[in-house]
Amino acid sequence: MKNFELTILGCGSAMPTTRHYPSSQVLSYGEKLFMIDCGEGAQLQFRRNRLKFSKLHHIFISHLHGDHCFGLIGLISTLGILGRTGELVIHINSEAERIFRPHLDFFCRELPFEVRFEPLPRKHEVIYEDRTMRVSSLPLKHRIQSCGFLFEEKEKQRHLIGDMVKFYNIPIKELAGIKSGADFITPEGTIIPNERLTRPADPISRYAYCSDTTYLEKLIPMIEGVDLLYHEATFAEDNKVRAKETFHSTAIQAATIAQKAHVKKLLLGHFSARYEEDSIFLKEAEQIFPNTILAKEGLHINI
């Protein structure tokens, strides 16, 4: 079974503080690392959490505000110094190449690998897919185009029951089909139902990342029942008006989305620098959605 683990590199908002780094996360799945946002200091946190640069697969940037993307050039430069050769794909706003390409040409002009900017859509659709993982876009509502991401495992194969495979003397060439759900037909023509030969597949894991956005109920059907929801909680209720003005969310609004979407666990982050204690966000969110935790640098969560 592949590991599906989230590491928080930064969970602060735009104003730097001594408590939090700007937004950045890494999702580990099998031998691949997927970075989600890349604020300043992301590569330092990458090192601090003993993550391997060689396993970094794709980068997903929610929007073009500095606290979510100012770490990109430094990270790419480091990857070049380390001798990376494989293509790096950055899923990002369509304006990004016009902005970042001149910086790459000046600071990283002899990169041993290609950097490809893959424009994000403005609707909910699959933006990355491999044999075992699927990533979809989640359109958010912010001051500029903003996009969340849904990471989900693909359906897994059923488990063979060894004793039944031996009992029916099933040829090796038939096993792959049976694991995928096929029945077995004996040489005599008898149909052996798949349920007799296999046990159910392991459940898939799903993670949704939603930052930055105002309260947005359109998200609910897209993230219904996810194992873990990261939702921004820039403000507490004392700044609810400010949250609306800046197209951000409060902790209670994030908890309400989690409750209505029936998610299993809520992770809050993107905390405003005006609060000296993050505990206020947890206290308010738990009134609506008890299974809430706070993001913090170095936090590892098995999904």
Side-chain angles (χ1 to χ4, degrees):
M1 183 175 180
K2 293 181 179 290
N3 68 303
F4 200 159
E5 184 179 67
L6 182 71
T7 299
I8 304 299
L9 305 185
C11 58
S13 55
M15 182 64 69
T17 72
T18 57
R19 294 184 298 113
H20 293 304
Y21 281 76
S23 294
S24 188
Q25 304 181 0
V26 172
L27 188 66
S28 172
Y29 186 69
E31 294 300 311
K32 297 177 181 178
L33 298 180
F34 301 89
M35 177 174 274
I36 311 166
D37 280 337
C38 187
E40 292 177 84
Q43 64 171 319
L44 298 177
Q45 289 291 83
F46 210 95
R47 283 285 200 202
R48 188 166 286 136
N49 285 276
R50 299 185 177 182
L51 298 168
K52 294 184 177 180
F53 285 110
S54 60
K55 293 186 176 182
L56 183 58
H57 195 59
H58 284 236
I59 299 177
F60 299 83
I61 303 295
S62 62
H63 64 295
L64 292 176
H65 276 164
D67 54 320
H68 295 260
C69 64
F70 277 171
L72 268 177
I73 298 299
L75 174 63
I76 293 171
S77 177
T78 296
L79 293 175
I81 294 171
L82 291 173
R84 180 190 180 98
T85 56
E87 180 185 56
L88 180 67
V89 182
I90 303 175
H91 303 265
I92 196 168
N93 183 284
S94 59
E95 293 291 307
E97 183 153 16
R98 177 180 62 82
I99 297 168
F100 287 106
R101 187 61 69 182
H103 293 272
L104 291 175
D105 291 342
F106 185 84
F107 292 107
C108 311
R109 61 184 60 159
E110 295 182 359
L111 281 179
F113 62 92
E114 292 295 323
V115 177
R116 174 159 59 93
F117 294 94
E118 192 67 30
L120 290 170
R122 292 179 177 268
K123 59 183 179 178
H124 178 50
E125 63 180 44
V126 175
I127 58 174
Y128 168 81
E129 191 169 12
D130 61 25
R131 188 172 56 85
T132 56
M133 168 77 74
R134 180 185 300 111
V135 184
S136 301
S137 54
L138 298 172
L140 305 176
K141 188 176 181 180
H142 193 42
R143 298 193 302 277
I144 61 174
Q145 182 185 348
S146 186
C147 182
F149 307 104
L150 174 63
F151 296 80
E152 52 188 341
E153 292 181 293
K154 290 186 175 180
E155 293 294 330
K156 301 176 183 179
Q157 293 186 321
R158 296 177 65 85
H159 297 284
L160 294 170
I161 301 175
D163 290 343
M164 300 304 288
V165 170
K166 292 179 180 178
F167 180 81
Y168 288 105
N169 196 27
I170 300 176
I172 292 177
K173 66 179 181 179
E174 301 283 347
L175 298 182
I178 293 172
K179 289 169 69 175
S180 296
D183 297 330
F184 173 62
I185 301 177
T186 67
E188 295 75 28
T190 302
I191 298 176
I192 310 300
N194 187 273
E195 291 76 11
R196 190 182 300 175
L197 306 172
T198 64
R199 294 190 300 273
D202 295 327
I204 63 170
S205 297
R206 301 167 69 227
Y207 170 58
Y209 175 88
C210 299
S211 183
D212 297 12
T213 185
T214 188
Y215 179 77
L216 190 62
E217 291 198 347
K218 289 182 180 179
L219 283 172
I220 293 172
M222 303 178 204
I223 62 175
E224 180 79 28
V226 298
D227 296 275
L228 179 65
L229 167 64
Y230 173 88
H231 197 291
E232 73 127 286
T234 308
F235 297 104
E237 282 302 289
D238 61 339
N239 278 287
K240 186 176 181 179
V241 173
R242 181 62 177 160
K244 184 176 182 180
E245 291 173 346
T246 58
F247 289 82
H248 281 294
S249 298
T250 67
I252 283 182
Q253 289 172 335
T256 301
I257 291 292
Q259 180 193 57
K260 291 185 176 182
H262 305 104
V263 309
K264 295 178 182 177
K265 181 179 288 188
L266 172 63
L267 174 64
L268 299 180
H270 201 264
F271 308 124
S272 170
R274 70 187 63 205
Y275 298 96
E276 295 184 359
E277 295 290 338
D278 297 339
S279 57
I280 185 174
F281 302 108
L282 183 62
K283 182 178 180 180
E284 291 187 354
E286 285 181 330
Q287 299 174 33
I288 306 296
F289 193 80
N291 196 15
T292 301
I293 59 175
L294 297 180
K296 62 180 179 180
E297 284 72 11
L299 177 67
H300 301 275
I301 303 174
N302 287 313
I303 301 175

